[in-house]
Amino acid sequence: MHEISLCLSAMELIEQQARQHGAKRVTAVWLEIGALSCIEEHALRFSFASAAHHTLAEGCQLEIEYLPARAWCWTCSMSVLIEKHDEGCPQCGGHQLRVESGDSLRLKQLEVE
Ligand SMILES: [Zn+2]
């Protein structure tokens, strides 16, 4: 389950940023997930809650946004957006794609108090 390691590294970043802002508590976290990251939302929420144990973010609200991934299609020779795994190029339906972004998890925003 790679969600837990992603959440642990996200949590390090969250705590670091919260401390920089002198926050006592993190009330909400926004995460952006690339559409090709293979991250399952349920697993992510569960992992996030365990990673948040005994941190400033314990019990905070978690907002998850999925971002389409950007890939290079060799057939069309252009950069395209893909929403799902195993989905071909939206222009030509081909699968000769090189993913350029959208396979990771990113901390978008924090709400602290
Ligand atoms: Zn194409």
Side-chain angles (χ1 to χ4, degrees), residues 34-46:
L36 300 186
S37 60
C38 297
I39 294 174
E40 206 254 307
E41 182 171 340
H42 180 76
L44 181 66
R45 288 188 179 278
F46 180 81

Side-chain angles (χ1 to χ4, degrees), residues 15-94:
E15 286 223 283
Q16 199 184 348
Q17 296 208 355
R19 293 219 163 86
Q20 269 171 19
H21 290 91
K24 291 192 197 67
R25 209 165 74 84
V26 176
T27 50
V29 171
W30 280 260
L31 293 179
E32 277 180 348
I33 301 173
L36 300 186
S37 60
C38 297
I39 294 174
E40 206 254 307
E41 182 171 340
H42 180 76
L44 181 66
R45 288 188 179 278
F46 180 81
S47 306
F48 186 85
S50 14
H53 255 302
H54 307 300
T55 71
L56 297 175
E58 181 153 22
C60 79
Q61 192 189 332
L62 176 61
E63 300 289 338
I64 298 173
E65 285 172 31
Y66 280 92
L67 288 186
R70 184 163 288 280
W72 178 262
C73 175
W74 290 104
T75 314
C76 307
S77 295
M78 63 186 279
S79 187
V80 294
L81 288 176
I82 29 187
E83 308 268 348
K84 279 195 222 90
H85 240 319
D86 298 329
E87 189 176 290
C89 164
Q91 307 288 328
C92 70

